[in-house]
Amino acid sequence: MSTAVVRTPRLRARKALPYALLLPALLALCAGLGYPLVRQVVLSLQEYGLAQQFGRPAEWTGFDNYVEVLTDRYLWLLVLRSIVFCLVCAGITMLIGSALALAMRLMSKPVRLIVQTGLLLAWAMPVLAALTVWQWLFDSQYGVINWLLDKGGLDYAGHSWLIEPLSFFFVAAVVVVWMSIPFVAFTIYAGLTQMPEELIEAAEVDGASSWQRLRHVIIPLTRPVLLIVGLLQVIWDLRVFTQIYVLQNAGGVTRETNLLGTYIYRSGIGEGNFGVASAVAVFMLALTVVLTWPYVAKMLKEVEA
């Protein structure tokens, strides 16, 4: 009996050890991620502008900022515009990235190495440097795109791509997709390398065509990776900011090309209305959760299965 009494405290200590080791990381996460979120929610319930930055106490306004935001028709236009832009960019990125990952699987080693190096360089390029290059390519006077189209018989001499909202978002989508493809291609390719080759060879022996092997073997086996990458892509493309902001400063019409990210920045930093900007940010967070919940639910189902 004495042995059991001695063992019980040791057993409890052993069970508590993993939680004790996790505690510092959890506290760091709560401090690093929790405080900005709580501060943002608090700001969204206050009138916080330039006066409050110089010391005047912030006044609590309840849900007035949310009422102002949700009754603004321009915000709902931004929501629709942001969702469409996000889904188009995420869909094209997933399509091209998946095709590139499948192609890399079939390439010889030297060719695959060249392609991977190119993707890595594109991924490693600083965002502002990449945007500068793309601005040169689409420049109205000296851009290569206009020159090629003009040489091809189309009247694009002096055409400004950024002044019209539709062509502005076309250029923005090209830049966003170009920057996102390396991550998608590398991640899906990593998932493909973990796939058992015996299953594909067995399907090939059974007479399955390339499309049937892709649909019934490769996609089901790589579905967890596809879901995670798709989820991340939707989140990133919904909160895109730098590409839109830089292109707006290069000649885009701000009000007609704003997305939620640039609207929050211009409301808060530009106009000093941090209360309203925080309310839009909280709304954007809720919108992100709603849009990504189907992906999360599907992943949870697959984990439980």
Side-chain angles (χ1 to χ4, degrees):
M1 183 173 176
S2 60
T3 307
V5 171
V6 171
R7 282 181 179 176
T8 303
R10 286 183 181 176
L11 190 61
R12 287 177 182 168
R14 187 176 295 176
K15 286 184 177 178
L17 183 60
Y19 299 102
L21 293 175
L22 285 174
L23 193 59
L26 287 175
L27 290 176
L29 276 176
C30 290
L33 299 178
Y35 174 75
L37 181 62
V38 171
R39 182 63 178 150
Q40 182 173 282
V41 173
V42 170
L43 276 178
S44 71
L45 301 173
Q46 293 177 332
E47 181 182 353
Y48 201 99
L50 293 177
Q52 283 69 32
Q53 284 189 300
F54 287 98
R56 181 184 292 179
E59 295 181 9
W60 291 94
T61 58
F63 292 98
D64 288 356
N65 289 331
Y66 289 96
V67 172
E68 180 182 341
V69 165
L70 296 176
T71 54
D72 187 0
R73 293 182 61 184
Y74 182 62
L75 176 84
W76 293 105
L77 176 64
L78 287 181
V79 170
L80 178 63
R81 191 185 292 165
S82 300
I83 291 176
V84 171
F85 184 81
C86 162
L87 295 181
V88 168
C89 288
I92 295 174
T93 303
M94 289 297 295
L95 195 63
I96 299 177
S98 304
L100 204 51
L102 287 169
M104 280 196 289
R105 187 171 162 272
L106 303 174
M107 291 174 184
S108 63
K109 191 173 180 180
V111 176
R112 186 168 62 243
L113 192 61
I114 293 172
V115 172
Q116 289 177 341
T117 304
L119 288 172
L120 199 60
L121 290 174
W123 178 250
M125 183 180 286
V127 177
L128 290 179
L131 280 164
T132 303
V133 173
W134 281 105
Q135 284 180 55
W136 288 344
L137 291 175
F138 282 96
D139 185 79
S140 58
Q141 296 297 324
Y142 308 106
V144 175
I145 305 297
N146 279 1
W147 181 80
L148 288 173
L149 292 173
D150 195 49
K151 290 294 180 186
L154 301 173
D155 185 19
Y156 271 80
H159 176 73
S160 177
W161 290 84
L162 302 181
I163 201 161
E164 292 291 334
L166 196 59
S167 57
F168 175 93
F169 284 115
F170 170 74
V171 176
V174 168
V175 178
V176 170
V177 169
W178 181 81
M179 289 180 170
S180 305
I181 282 176
F183 169 76
V184 174
F186 274 125
T187 308
I188 295 176
Y189 176 71
L192 290 173
T193 58
Q194 303 301 312
M195 194 170 49
E197 288 292 332
E198 297 80 9
L199 292 176
I200 301 176
E201 290 173 2
E204 192 173 0
V205 170
D206 289 340
S209 63
S210 300
W211 169 248
Q212 288 171 329
R213 293 199 297 274
L214 175 67
R215 182 181 175 186
H216 298 293
V217 180
I218 296 176
I219 290 179
L221 288 175
T222 55
R223 182 169 294 160
V225 177
L226 293 173
L227 284 174
I228 291 174
V229 176
L231 173 67
L232 293 176
Q233 206 55 50
V234 168
I235 293 173
W236 286 339
D237 289 343
L238 187 63
R239 62 190 182 94
V240 63
F241 168 75
T242 308
Q243 294 88 338
I244 302 297
Y245 182 75
V246 171
L247 291 176
Q248 284 178 339
N249 289 339
V253 182
T254 302
R255 186 171 175 82
E256 296 179 9
T257 56
N258 262 337
L259 296 182
L260 283 171
T262 51
Y263 179 71
I264 292 170
Y265 177 82
R266 294 188 186 284
S267 296
I269 303 297
E271 301 173 7
N273 199 346
F274 295 97
V276 171
S278 298
V280 179
V282 173
F283 174 78
M284 186 175 174
L285 177 63
L287 182 67
T288 304
V289 172
V290 170
L291 284 178
T292 56
W293 180 248
Y295 288 92
V296 177
K298 192 170 287 186
M299 280 193 295
L300 291 176
K301 278 184 182 177
E302 293 195 357
V303 169
E304 290 174 357

